[in-house]
């Protein structure tokens, strides 16, 4: 069985500050890990994914995430927040062609 | 290329009524998935089609939900009769065969049962 825990259902950061969204997972097999973003009135958009290889994964819009097997974590970061980053972010783990999602983190950017 | 299209975008129905959601995947994508997010909770897998065949329907909540994919093209998800707990956002996604989760999601259908 697989599961995902996202710490913090709401996160607020100031514009220009570091964004850190936390994700821990549980998986009985080597995981495929994903971050998705949902902007208002839009679908889920893939930010980045880890399958194999390099543990630091770079995605779109300046986001990156690091797979840490020892900590079972896949935290999402961005060095400098923009107003356009305001959205809901979902961490997911993949297995057998289906995804198991976390409950989501709503990111608010303070001007 | 056109993305995954879902309609309606919103639907409000009364308890006991029937609703049918439709998903048009990206042309040529054999894999089609349905997911659902109940308010405030995680997005949960419902089922997976490969062409017109149901590959995995382990997430379907009960027999009030019926999914079809005629001819391996668009898919419909029917809820009959709808209950209050069926309210949520229903997402569809599609992908080419075996691309390591190269999902493309649609914008979702927000279903409200009153």
């Amino acid at each position: 069985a697989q599961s995902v825990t996202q710490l913090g259902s709401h996160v607020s950061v100031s514009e220009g500050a570091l964004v850190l969204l936390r994700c821990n997972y549980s998986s009985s097999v080597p995981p495929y890990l994903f971050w998705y973003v949902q902007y208002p009135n839009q679908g889920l958009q893939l930010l980045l994914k880890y399958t194999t290889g390099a543990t630091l994964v770079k995605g779109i819009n300046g986001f990156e995430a690091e797979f840490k097997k020892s900590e079972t974590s896949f935290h999402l970061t961005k060095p400098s927040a923009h107003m356009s980053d305001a959205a809901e972010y979902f961490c997911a783990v993949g297995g057998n062609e289906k995804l198991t999602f976390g409950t989501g983190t709503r990111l608010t950017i303070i001007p | 290329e056109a993305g995954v299209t879902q309609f309606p975008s919103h639907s409000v129905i009364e308890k006991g009524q029937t609703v049918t959601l439709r998903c048009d995947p990206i042309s040529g994508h054999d894999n089609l998935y349905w997911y659902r997010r109940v308010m405030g909770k995680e997005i949960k897998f419902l089922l997976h089609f490969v062409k017109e065949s149901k590959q995995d329907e382990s997430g379907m909540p009960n027999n009030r939900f019926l999914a079809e994919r005629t001819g391996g093209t668009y898919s419909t998800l029917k809820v009959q009769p709808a209950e209050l707990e069926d309210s949520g956002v229903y997402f569809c996604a599609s992908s080419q065969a075996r691309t390591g989760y190269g999902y493309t999601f649609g914008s979702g259908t927000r279903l409200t049962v009153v």
Side-chain angles (χ1 to χ4, degrees):
Chain A
Q2 297 177 314
S3 66
V4 174
T5 301
Q6 290 185 241
L7 296 176
S9 58
H10 290 82
V11 170
S12 296
V13 301
S14 297
E15 191 175 14
L18 171 72
V19 175
L20 170 60
L21 304 183
R22 299 180 186 274
C23 172
N24 288 90
Y25 70 91
S26 172
S27 177
S28 57
V29 297
Y32 286 9
L33 295 162
F34 306 81
W35 277 98
Y36 282 86
V37 61
Q38 186 180 22
Y39 299 103
N41 301 315
Q42 296 187 28
L44 294 166
Q45 181 180 3
L46 181 65
L47 270 180
L48 49 81
K49 67 178 178 181
Y50 168 80
T51 53
T52 59
T55 56
L56 182 61
V57 180
K58 295 187 183 299
I60 61 172
N61 301 337
F63 284 92
E64 62 182 35
E66 186 171 11
F67 169 57
K68 291 188 176 181
K69 184 178 179 180
S70 61
E71 298 177 9
T72 61
S73 69
F74 191 57
H75 302 329
L76 182 71
T77 60
K78 181 174 180 177
S80 177
H82 295 170
M83 295 301 296
S84 60
D85 295 327
E88 193 161 16
Y89 293 78
F90 297 90
C91 181
V93 60
N96 296 325
E97 293 291 323
K98 62 186 177 187
L99 297 173
T100 299
F101 285 87
T103 51
T105 298
R106 185 169 298 280
L107 177 64
T108 300
I109 310 298
I110 303 166
Chain B
E1 75 183 350
V4 176
T5 305
Q6 292 186 247
F7 47 93
S9 57
H10 294 82
S11 180
V12 181
I13 62 171
E14 293 184 351
K15 176 182 173 180
Q17 289 186 322
T18 297
V19 63
T20 300
L21 314 181
R22 174 167 167 151
C23 170
D24 285 48
I26 292 173
S27 178
H29 281 193
D30 288 340
N31 293 271
L32 187 149
Y33 309 82
W34 283 98
Y35 285 80
R36 176 176 76 167
R37 188 186 191 198
V38 173
M39 186 65 69
K41 298 197 173 180
E42 68 270 29
I43 301 167
K44 284 194 171 181
F45 169 83
L46 295 178
L47 85 160
H48 170 203
F49 283 100
V50 178
K51 297 185 180 179
E52 67 275 9
S53 299
K54 292 176 185 175
Q55 181 78 10
D56 180 354
E57 53 183 330
S58 61
M60 294 289 266
N62 52 60
N63 59 11
R64 295 186 293 102
F65 289 76
L66 175 63
E68 295 180 322
R69 190 180 182 194
T70 306
T73 55
Y74 71 91
S75 175
T76 57
L77 180 64
K78 181 189 288 188
V79 185
Q80 180 182 28
E83 298 289 345
L84 298 179
E85 64 264 26
D86 300 332
S87 296
V89 180
Y90 290 76
F91 292 101
C92 176
S94 71
S95 72
Q96 292 178 322
R98 301 293 186 256
T99 55
Y101 302 92
Y103 285 30
T104 300
F105 278 88
S107 300
T109 294
R110 182 174 297 276
L111 174 64
T112 303
V113 182
V114 297

